Amino acid sequence: MDRILSGIKPTGQLTLGNYIGAIKNFAKVQYEGETFLFIADLHALTLPIEPETLNKNSRDIAAYYLAAGLDPKHTSIFLQSDVSEHSELAIILQNYLYMGELSRMTQFKDKSSKMKEEAIGLGLFAYPVLMAADIVLYNANRIPVGEDQVQHVELARDVVKRMNNRYGKILAMPKAEMVKVGARIMSLSDPSKKMSKSDPKGDIYLSDSLEVMRKKIMSAVTDMGKEIKYDPINKPGISNLMTIMSSLSGKSFEEIEKEFVGKGYGDFKRAVADVVVNEMAPFKARYEEIIQSGLVDEVLSEGAKRAKVVAKETLTRVQHAIGLYRK
Ligand code: TYM
């Protein structure tokens, strides 16, 4: 039986990129195996964050998971910090990952290049160590993520190889998997950049009102020419909007191109906005209901209990293999 695992870091407001590349897909694949989904709150500490913001963002992610259709009876939904085995295993794994490979991680390079050296925390550097621990604790073989996280999953594979070569087959081999369309949604204001949690103009936030979402799409940067054509090199803006439309509507790029032959960018953007609003309206309404209901705490506490059982078993197996035990 497959073990599926993924997580989202509660650093900022979730975007349409997170929804398309991750959350919507989690809901789709959850019944294909035993699924563990967490809120990576310890990872959120790798950059400065206010305690109230961290706490609110974490609960929001849990509510968004539920609003997207994740079923807490089947899928264990929990806070990373509620399962202390994540931290314990990370302390062990840090000895099997090396400075050179950690300093080559794209995410570390991106984030640290904007900071003074004195301000770069060790946690930011060691981020992939904790992420490897997250993954291997659940013997997960399938790791659904957006494109930007694949490099981290690759590093988790390396550490599994190292541990298994040295100590026998103690850990399952994880593999990153991405949605076919939408694993890298780009910024609406600069389609050469990924839509991230920190670019208010180029991002669609799940917390934006439907009107604001519509406005942002209508003012998205487009390209030269006037054809609606999927061509990420020459038409990155239109191709990004086509990706959003395709992933939410299920229509292929060819179908979209055919539908908009002879029509302009304005018509096309209006249609993209309709698709986004139609998807987001019920999703946002469910989110509001869930936040009001008090369900989140119950789900997180139940999820942590179930996750802990599996995590403890793996940690004990690793401790035994490496010599950390009493007779
Ligand atoms: P995070 O919180 O940055 O993003 C959560 C998920 O959303 C995907 N994503 C995107 N997909 C498509 N287009 C985009 N523009 C876009 N932006 C983000 C991400 O790839 C991710 O799948 N390190 C992780 C959290 C984490 C984790 C893990 C994931 C911690 N431990 C173990 C998997 C397994 C992160 O910061 O994701």
Side-chain angles (χ1 to χ4, degrees), residues 7-11 38-49 54 80-81 86-87 90 107 111 123-124 126-135 149 152 197:
I8 297 186
K9 188 173 60 194
T11 35
F38 65 98
I39 293 126
D41 52 0
L42 292 172
H43 276 111
L45 294 171
T46 54
L47 292 174
I49 186 164
L54 172 57
Q80 183 185 33
S81 61
H86 289 247
S87 311
Q107 183 175 301
K111 300 234 152 97
L124 186 66
Y127 187 107
V129 179
L130 180 57
M131 184 155 160
D134 299 338
I135 292 173
Q149 293 301 319
H152 286 154
K197 292 175 193 146

Side-chain angles (χ1 to χ4, degrees), residues 319-327:
Q319 287 170 328
H320 267 256
I322 66 179
L324 299 175
Y325 61 90
R326 255 184 287 109
K327 288 234 168 69

Side-chain angles (χ1 to χ4, degrees), residues 1 4 25 34 36 65 70 87 153 198 205 215 229 239 258 263 293 310 313:
M1 160 118 88
I4 302 169
N25 182 43
E34 207 176 331
F36 294 85
Y65 280 159
L70 282 149
S87 311
V153 181
S198 52
Y205 295 121
K215 258 202 201 124
K229 191 167 173 299
S239 302
K258 260 197 207 140
K263 294 192 182 144
S293 72
V310 181
E313 216 178 87

